[in-house]
Amino acid sequence: MSDTTIAIVALIAALAALLIASGQLLQAVFGTADGYRKCQQTVIGPWSKKTRLKWRWSQMRFETIFATPHIEITQSTKWNNIDTSLINNDQLYSVVQSWPVGRGVGGYSQASWLSLFASLYSMQYEMSRRCSGPIAPGSMSIPKYIDSVQSWDFVPAEVIRPFATTTLGSIAVVAKRLGMRWRDFRPHDGVMNAEGNGQTLTSTTVRSLGLLLQYSCDPQGQDFNFPYVPSSASDLLAFGIVPASGLGTPRLTVGTLNDIKALIHELSPGGQYSALLRDEENLQWLDGFSEILGIASPFLRLRKSTVARVYNPLFGNPNIMTSREGFVIFLERIKELCNHSPISSQANWIREKYIFLKYKFGQWERALNSKWTQLDHSMDYLDDLHDIFDETTAYIHSLLKERSMARPSRYFYNSLVSCQIGLTLTCRQRIRLRFSKYNSSEGSDDPPVGLELPTSTDQGEKHRPSEASEGDTNFQRTYYEYENEPFFDTFLAEGMHVYFDSIDTIVITMASVGFGDAEMVKSAWITMMFRSLLWYRAHHLDPPQIGDRNDLSSEFAESRLPIFIG
């Protein structure tokens, strides 16, 4: 073998050794990039394109820099300088469309927040289909995201996938909007579990990090055809808070029975309802108190949208204000005020608006039931309800500006709401007592709902409702022959009668707190009651809460406590 051949072989061997040594060196160097392989496309989808390596000369190693989304429920005008809306992000749309059913191309290696994004997209897509045009800026709150750049150096060893971030208030609302119910919500104890609509959210506490949530779903078990109103005011109901009305009533916390009792004591500091609230066996007053939504809440449905579903933070059924019986008696009593009353002008306006809705929309007087559908709430129907509701707001504002009062006008509507809530607390009990006087042959002091008063005319002419007296044993109530309809419930009809019978009592009570203009109080009261009918017909309430508390506590509303999603 010649020297040349030997030299060539030696050179090749040396080059091979150099390549091997270089490869080992590069492997060792790149091996310092902890977490890099966990930031690839099969794990974090399109965010893998934002993963990079940063060389640290002082440490002679690579640092893994990755980006994941920070998700928040925010007003539609925030972050509008970049395209962050889930519904408008074309790149995310194409990624979502490419994800297969289940947990995605990465199987169980995929970060669960990618599946959460897919569900959020599906929810918002259904919501957008129910909009006739752009929603007014600032009125809608939707899930949005911005990229959060992080270093793998600060990811705890227990975390095996890059995590997204959010806030406690936002993830609580996101879960509710997706149709889940929080079965256990104790973030201070490290416990957050939600489930429903084919989805689950479970939590674990990671040392040195905090609460880490894991989301999973069965796309075939999800149904987003019935979304909630996407506004911050509507979200407050999920935390047991009635949003401010815009007429003087502040936010009202009603998330637990104790919250409700505290609010009643605040509204009526005289303590006249103490005995009622102490009775743990008889909670019928909760049905009356639940009517606070209609009289103290703003109109939650958004313009140009038919989405009308809202959370129900209360524990009773406001059946007097939602029933056909309540509606028809309301109209008849308003008609009587149109003829011989100093408030005939406003009563006539209410009568005209009521009749307009009655003959234009068949569902206006129809009894609500559990088979509510989107067809019940057409855009035209909701727009008319919304317009009339806004007119009632403008009318009450005009009353407050035109009339002089002993107290500041900002307290007027809140005082009127307090009077009405006091009336609703005892209304059903008063009806049962009144009914028992006319149906005592069997000795029952607690007649069943719907038990009728005598209505035949052979005992004398019926008295006018304004002449009602609970102590008058000769009194007969008129139901304007509606009682001859099948299934007409006179208990509910009587409830609306009792409300109108008590208008003079409300006038006296309002005068005692500095609002002595009787005509103003009566005009505002019938307007408030009409607003309540409009509110309940426009919105679809979830069923009442079961137990003594909501699944979300009011203290966590709009909480900025950081939460991580694995």
Side-chain angles (χ1 to χ4, degrees):
M1 183 180 294
S2 65
D3 292 342
T4 302
T5 303
I6 293 173
I8 292 174
V9 171
L11 179 60
I12 293 173
L15 290 173
L18 178 61
L19 289 174
I20 292 173
S22 298
Q24 291 176 335
L25 177 62
L26 290 174
Q27 183 182 31
V29 171
F30 281 100
T32 62
D34 290 340
Y36 185 75
R37 289 175 295 177
K38 299 176 181 178
C39 299
Q40 56 189 311
Q41 185 175 9
T42 55
V43 181
I44 60 174
W47 280 269
S48 63
K49 297 178 181 178
K50 301 174 184 180
T51 302
R52 59 187 177 88
L53 296 177
K54 182 178 181 180
W55 179 253
R56 293 286 186 181
W57 284 103
S58 61
Q59 303 170 19
M60 295 300 291
R61 69 177 183 88
F62 280 110
E63 178 186 7
T64 301
I65 305 297
F66 65 96
T68 54
H70 173 75
I71 308 167
E72 281 197 36
I73 298 285
T74 183
Q75 296 293 338
S76 56
T77 56
K78 192 177 180 182
W79 298 343
N80 58 0
N81 58 321
I82 53 177
D83 186 18
T84 57
S85 170
L86 294 179
I87 197 64
N88 295 324
N89 192 306
D90 294 334
Q91 180 189 24
L92 182 60
Y93 171 77
S94 62
V95 173
V96 170
Q97 293 299 97
S98 67
W99 287 337
V101 174
R103 293 182 56 87
V105 294
Y108 284 93
S109 66
Q110 179 179 292
S112 71
W113 48 264
L114 284 177
S115 297
L116 178 62
F117 263 70
S119 297
L120 286 173
Y121 176 82
S122 299
M123 177 195 69
Q124 296 214 162
Y125 175 73
E126 289 296 330
M127 197 176 298
S128 69
R129 291 176 58 243
R130 291 163 174 78
C131 298
S132 63
I135 303 296
S139 61
M140 179 171 63
S141 63
I142 59 176
K144 293 190 176 185
Y145 76 90
I146 56 175
D147 288 333
S148 174
V149 179
Q150 305 172 63
S151 169
W152 195 268
D153 288 358
F154 303 103
V155 175
E158 299 96 316
V159 178
I160 61 175
R161 303 181 191 89
F163 49 77
T165 57
T166 184
T167 62
L168 181 61
S170 291
I171 194 62
V173 170
V174 163
K176 297 286 281 188
R177 288 194 185 183
L178 290 174
M180 288 184 274
R181 178 177 174 82
W182 288 99
R183 300 300 179 186
D184 202 348
F185 193 83
R186 293 178 290 122
H188 294 326
D189 297 328
V191 180
M192 292 174 61
N193 297 312
E195 61 182 38
N197 198 23
Q199 306 156 99
T200 62
L201 265 176
T202 55
S203 67
T204 183
T205 301
V206 177
R207 186 175 51 188
S208 75
L209 182 67
L211 272 175
L212 182 70
L213 298 181
Q214 188 74 19
Y215 173 80
S216 60
C217 68
D218 174 12
Q220 296 180 348
Q222 293 176 308
D223 182 6
F224 299 119
N225 291 317
F226 199 8
Y228 288 96
V229 173
S231 70
S232 56
S234 174
D235 293 336
L236 287 176
L237 293 178
F239 293 92
I241 300 174
V242 179
S245 66
L247 288 171
T249 54
R251 289 184 178 184
L252 305 174
T253 302
V254 294
T256 69
L257 286 181
N258 288 334
D259 287 338
I260 293 175
K261 292 178 180 180
L263 178 60
I264 293 173
H265 283 300
E266 179 181 345
L267 295 176
S268 54
Q272 59 265 45
Y273 303 113
S274 298
L276 179 70
L277 300 181
R278 284 196 301 266
D279 187 356
E280 300 293 339
E281 300 297 326
N282 182 11
L283 297 178
Q284 294 177 1
W285 55 269
L286 284 173
D287 288 341
F289 181 84
S290 64
E291 294 175 13
I292 196 171
L293 274 183
I295 60 177
S297 177
F299 209 86
L300 298 177
R301 171 259 180 178
L302 302 179
R303 293 281 187 179
K304 299 183 180 180
S305 172
T306 58
V307 177
R309 184 184 181 187
V310 294
Y311 313 101
N312 188 352
L314 297 168
F315 305 87
N317 180 12
N319 45 15
I320 293 176
M321 302 303 296
T322 60
S323 65
R324 166 173 164 73
E325 290 84 351
F327 271 64
V328 297
I329 298 301
F330 175 86
L331 176 61
E332 296 298 334
R333 297 298 296 261
I334 286 293
K335 287 179 179 178
E336 293 176 359
L337 292 175
C338 292
N339 300 322
H340 308 288
S341 171
I343 60 171
S344 59
S345 175
Q346 181 62 5
N348 268 301
W349 180 85
I350 292 175
R351 179 184 60 83
E352 291 173 2
K353 295 297 182 182
Y354 185 106
I355 293 176
F356 164 76
L357 293 171
K358 175 180 178 179
Y359 288 105
K360 185 176 180 181
F361 304 105
Q363 64 266 43
W364 168 248
E365 279 190 351
R366 189 174 62 203
L368 298 181
N369 56 59
S370 59
K371 295 182 179 180
W372 183 94
T373 67
Q374 290 287 353
L375 296 177
D376 291 323
H377 285 50
S378 66
M379 191 72 71
D380 190 26
Y381 176 61
L382 288 172
D383 282 345
D384 281 342
L385 293 180
H386 208 151
D387 290 341
I388 298 173
F389 189 91
D390 286 348
E391 289 182 56
T392 64
T393 302
Y395 174 76
I396 293 177
H397 279 304
S398 68
L399 275 182
L400 300 181
K401 290 180 180 179
E402 295 170 358
R403 307 297 179 95
S404 58
M405 290 169 279
R407 293 184 65 193
S409 60
R410 65 179 179 272
Y411 299 117
F412 176 83
Y413 192 78
N414 192 44
S415 299
L416 191 63
V417 169
S418 300
C419 289
Q420 180 61 22
I421 291 304
L423 175 59
T424 64
L425 293 178
T426 58
C427 173
R428 286 155 179 80
Q429 182 180 11
R430 290 168 61 186
I431 298 172
R432 291 181 182 277
L433 289 174
R434 177 178 291 180
F435 274 29
S436 67
K437 293 179 181 179
Y438 297 99
N439 299 275
S440 58
S441 57
E442 297 180 4
S444 172
D445 292 329
D446 190 19
V449 173
L451 190 59
E452 296 188 3
L453 289 167
T455 54
S456 60
T457 58
D458 55 0
Q459 297 181 22
E461 183 181 358
K462 297 179 181 179
H463 288 57
R464 289 178 54 81
S466 58
E467 299 170 348
S469 171
E470 294 182 21
D472 181 7
T473 57
N474 296 317
F475 167 71
Q476 281 192 299
R477 176 72 79 192
T478 177
Y479 298 110
Y480 312 96
E481 299 185 358
Y482 284 109
E483 68 272 13
N484 298 323
E485 293 182 356
F487 310 111
F488 188 83
D489 191 335
T490 54
F491 185 95
L492 299 177
E494 182 67 16
M496 186 60 71
H497 270 312
V498 169
Y499 289 164
F500 274 86
D501 290 345
S502 305
I503 190 169
D504 289 334
T505 302
I506 290 177
V507 168
I508 294 171
T509 305
M510 289 291 286
S512 69
V513 295
F515 302 106
D517 189 330
E519 180 182 344
M520 176 184 178
V521 171
K522 290 182 179 181
S523 296
W525 183 83
I526 62 173
T527 305
M528 179 184 70
M529 296 296 285
F530 188 45
R531 282 168 59 87
S532 183
L533 300 184
L534 292 166
W535 194 94
Y536 282 114
R537 277 300 184 261
H539 300 94
H540 176 70
L541 273 176
D542 279 352
Q545 298 290 323
I546 299 175
D548 63 351
R549 64 183 58 248
N550 278 260
D551 52 347
L552 292 176
S553 174
S554 58
E555 66 177 298
F556 299 116
E558 302 170 345
S559 171
R560 303 289 301 173
L561 185 71
I563 299 293
F564 305 90
I565 309 173

